Amino acid sequence: MKTIIEPFKIKSVEPIRFTTKEERVKILEDAGYNPFMIHADDVLIDLLTDSGTSAMSSDQWAGIMRGDESYAGAKSFYRFEAAVKKITSDEFIIPTHQGRASEKILFSILGGPGKYFASNTFFDTTRANIEFAGAEAVDLLCEVGKHPEQRAPFKGNMDIDALKAFIQKIGRENIPLVVLTVTNNSGGGQPVSMQNIREVKEVCKQNNIPLFLDACRFAENAYFIKKRENGYADKPILEICQEMFSYADGSTMSAKKDALVNIGGWLSLNDADLALKCRNLLIVTEGFPTYGGLAGRDLEAIAQGLEEIVDEHYLQYRIRSTEYLGEKILAAGVPIIEPPGGHAIYIDAKRFLPHVPAEQYPGQSIVCELYVEGGIRTVEIGSVMFGKNDKNGKFIPAMMELVRLAIPRRVYTQSHIDYVAEVVIDVFKRREKLKGYHITYEAPMLRHFTAKFKPV
Ligand code: F0G
C-alpha cells in the first residue's frame, strides 16, 4: 500500500509565526497558564479544536461569492436545504448559526423540570442547554467506552440494556428525546455502529420516543462503519450516511465540523408541530427561517461542504491522518485513548503523569508543556473542565484526565503532524520532571475558559 496523501493541493497559504521557547515561557505565564488566553498569533500549531477551523475549498470560496443575501427565500437557502435533505431525508430543515443554537431551540421547547434526556454521551453545550431548560441529561455509554486502554471498534455505542432500564425507571412520558452523538466527542471521538443506531431506534420506537442524532461528525462516523462493520465495505459513504439518518427522527448539527465551514448549523426534523414551534423560536433568537442567523454565503459554503465531506478519498485521508498521529506517539509509549478516534487524539494524562494527582490537574500540566516545548495548543478535558468541589470544599475529580489534540480539517500536512508527534514524545521522555498546577482564579461557570493557574 502506498502513502495516503492529502487529497488536495494548496492554493492559498497562511503563514504561521515562530516563537522561541523563552518567549513561550513568558507568553504562557502572562496567560495564567491557560492556553485559551493565548493570542492565536503566538501559537505555531493549533489543535485546540476541529470546530470552525477547517480550510474551505476553492468551490466553497466560489460559493461565498455566489451567496444570495435576500432576507427571505434566498436561492442559497434552497441549495442548503436540498443538500441537507439529501443526507438526512428530513422534511423540515432549519438553519442556525451553530450547533448550540439548534440545541437551545430544541431543548427549550422539549425540556423543562421533570424531563429527562438520554444519550451515549452528551457534549457539554448540549448538556448545558438541557440543564439550562431545567431538565436532566443522562449519559448511557457502553462499558468498553469508559476504558481508555481497551480497544473495540465502536466505543461510542449506547448501552442498550441501560437505555431499557432507564426508560422503565423514568417512564417514557418523561423522556421527550433520545440523542446519539456521532462520533462521540467527549468519549474520545469514538464511532457508533449502524447496528447500535438500529437497536436504539427499535427501543425508542417501542416506547414512542423520538431519536435524534447530534450529527456533528456524521461522515467520520460513516467512514468507521464502512471500515469496521460487516456488510458496509462496498457501500458508498453517502448511502451509509443516509442509512444512519434514516433511523433518526431529526438531527442537531454543527456545520463547523463535518460541513467543512467556519460557521453554521442546522436543526432537522419530521414532526410538523415541533418544526413550527422551532421556527417560531428561531425567528426570535436567530433569524428568518430561510437564513437562521447565517448569511446566504454561509449557506452556500455549507451546501458545497456537504458534497465534499462524503468523498471517500477525503475521509480516508482524514481518518488516517488522525490515526497516524495516534500510532506514532503510541509506539513511543505515550498512553492515549485506543483506538484513535476520528477528529482527535486524546492523551490519557492519568497514565502519562501518574505522579501528579487529579487535584493538581495532570492534563493542564501536559497542555502547558506542549505549548512551551513546541508552540502547540491543545485542551485539557479532565478535572479543570469537569472537576468540582462539594459543599464541604472536598475535591471531586472528573471521570478521566485527558488532553485533546483536535485536528482541524484540511489545514495541516503530514510534516506538521510529524512535528506534533516529536514534541509530544519529547515531553513524554521527561515526564517525571513535570509538575502539577493549582487554580488561582476561577469563574463560577465553565471555569476552564478563563481560569488562571500557578505551577505547584
Ligand atoms: N455537539 C458536539 C458533539 C460537539 O462536538 C459540539 C462542538 C457541539 C455539539 C456544539 O456545536 O460549537 O457549533 O455550538 N464542539 C466543539 C469542540 C466546540 O471543540 O469539540 P457548536
Side-chain angles (χ1 to χ4, degrees):
M1 182 112 146
K2 299 206 171 57
T3 303
I4 295 165
I5 61 171
E6 285 85 4
F8 48 80
K9 16 180 213 177
I10 298 166
K11 174 178 280 186
S12 174
V13 297
E14 182 182 342
I16 47 181
R17 202 173 77 83
F18 289 82
T19 48
T20 64
K21 204 165 172 173
E22 291 66 41
E23 285 170 330
R24 290 194 293 272
V25 167
K26 176 80 173 52
I27 291 166
L28 189 65
E29 193 190 332
D30 290 347
Y33 299 93
N34 185 346
F36 277 105
M37 309 303 272
I38 296 176
H39 290 211
D41 211 28
D42 293 331
V43 174
L44 190 64
I45 306 240
D46 204 345
L47 307 184
L48 188 64
T49 179
D50 65 320
S51 181
T53 51
S54 302
M56 292 210 294
S57 66
S58 45
D59 282 340
Q60 285 180 295
W61 283 109
I64 293 280
M65 284 307 293
R66 257 198 320 270
D68 174 0
E69 304 302 344
S70 305
Y71 191 96
K75 199 163 70 186
S76 300
F77 169 73
Y78 294 106
R79 186 177 172 211
F80 161 85
E81 186 187 42
V84 178
K85 272 194 181 181
K86 186 172 167 189
I87 291 167
T88 65
S89 294
D90 289 337
E91 204 176 331
F92 306 102
I93 311 296
I94 300 173
T96 59
H97 82 271
Q98 64 183 86
R100 68 197 73 177
S102 309
E103 295 159 8
K104 167 86 180 151
I105 290 170
L106 185 65
F107 294 113
S108 42
I109 293 168
L110 294 180
K115 299 288 183 210
Y116 291 79
F117 296 87
S119 176
N120 46 348
T121 311
F122 282 110
F123 181 67
D124 21 319
T125 58
T126 323
R127 171 175 288 278
N129 272 303
I130 290 170
E131 290 172 356
F132 191 73
E136 283 195 45
V138 180
D139 294 338
L140 304 172
L141 185 63
C142 66
E143 187 55 36
V144 71
K146 298 173 193 165
H147 302 276
E149 70 293 351
Q150 285 179 23
R151 282 196 173 238
F154 292 104
K155 288 174 77 174
N157 281 354
M158 188 179 240
D159 181 334
I160 301 290
D161 290 333
L163 175 63
K164 288 180 185 160
F166 172 74
I167 297 172
Q168 270 276 298
K169 184 173 154 213
I170 301 295
R172 66 180 76 169
E173 64 286 358
N174 299 317
I175 308 170
L177 202 67
V178 169
V179 179
L180 276 175
T181 309
V182 293
T183 56
N184 183 20
N185 184 6
S186 316
Q190 301 291 324
V192 179
S193 71
M194 194 72 87
Q195 188 185 336
N196 191 251
I197 301 177
R198 224 180 278 126
E199 284 172 6
V200 170
K201 173 64 189 178
E202 197 47 45
V203 174
C204 287
K205 203 167 145 192
Q206 281 162 12
N207 290 284
N208 211 11
I209 301 171
L211 169 65
F212 269 49
L213 297 184
D214 176 346
C216 296
R217 299 173 181 87
F218 70 93
E220 291 171 7
N221 198 87
Y223 187 78
F224 281 118
I225 289 176
K226 184 173 173 108
K227 290 289 146 183
R228 296 181 183 172
E229 192 161 350
N230 277 343
Y232 289 93
D234 298 324
K235 278 223 163 128
I237 293 292
L238 178 61
E239 278 178 35
I240 299 174
C241 296
Q242 287 165 335
E243 186 181 340
M244 283 165 54
F245 280 96
S246 74
Y247 302 118
D249 302 283
S251 66
T252 56
M253 173 73 183
S254 169
K256 299 171 78 170
K257 284 84 171 176
D258 270 359
L260 295 165
V261 293
N262 308 117
I263 195 73
W266 73 68
L267 173 58
S268 75
L269 63 173
N270 290 310
D271 177 331
D273 263 2
L274 183 57
L276 186 68
K277 285 185 192 147
C278 290
R279 280 189 173 140
N280 287 340
L281 196 51
L282 183 86
I283 293 181
V284 181
T285 59
E286 289 277 295
F288 189 74
T290 62
Y291 72 84
L294 293 170
R297 61 182 84 108
D298 300 321
L299 296 168
E300 282 284 337
I302 294 172
Q304 180 59 33
L306 289 176
E307 280 180 33
E308 295 173 13
I309 199 75
V310 293
D311 171 32
E312 196 158 333
H313 286 293
Y314 162 75
L315 285 168
Q316 181 190 36
Y317 139 79
R318 168 71 176 159
I319 300 302
R320 177 59 197 151
S321 53
T322 305
E323 183 185 55
Y324 175 81
L325 172 59
E327 279 175 4
K328 272 205 144 177
I329 62 175
L330 250 183
V334 178
I336 64 169
I337 293 192
E338 293 185 60
H343 68 294
I345 293 298
Y346 295 69
I347 293 175
D348 184 350
K350 253 187 218 173
R351 284 185 291 150
F352 192 113
L353 295 181
H355 60 284
V356 178
E359 54 266 44
Q360 290 179 14
Y361 310 113
Q364 195 66 19
S365 173
I366 297 169
V367 164
C368 288
E369 209 58 27
L370 291 176
Y371 178 70
V372 169
E373 180 62 36
I376 299 168
R377 178 155 67 171
T378 55
V379 65
E380 193 262 13
I381 301 189
S383 288
V384 174
M385 202 179 268
F386 297 123
K388 47 189 171 216
N389 293 316
D390 71 9
K391 280 182 225 111
N392 307 318
K394 190 173 168 282
F395 174 76
I396 306 167
M399 192 170 75
M400 293 195 260
E401 303 295 336
L402 304 172
V403 174
R404 186 179 76 169
L405 286 68
I407 319 285
R409 293 169 183 77
R410 305 193 293 206
V411 171
Y412 295 117
T413 64
Q414 185 167 346
S415 58
H416 288 120
I417 297 296
D418 283 333
Y419 170 83
V420 170
E422 285 164 16
V423 172
V424 172
I425 292 166
D426 265 2
V427 170
F428 184 65
K429 280 187 183 148
R430 50 184 177 76
R431 61 191 177 281
E432 275 101 2
K433 297 211 178 71
L434 267 60
K435 296 212 168 70
Y437 283 77
H438 61 88
I439 294 179
T440 57
Y441 162 78
E442 62 181 291
M445 266 176 82
L446 296 172
R447 68 177 179 185
H448 54 283
F449 290 121
T450 53
K452 290 195 187 307
F453 302 84
K454 277 251 152 58
V456 170

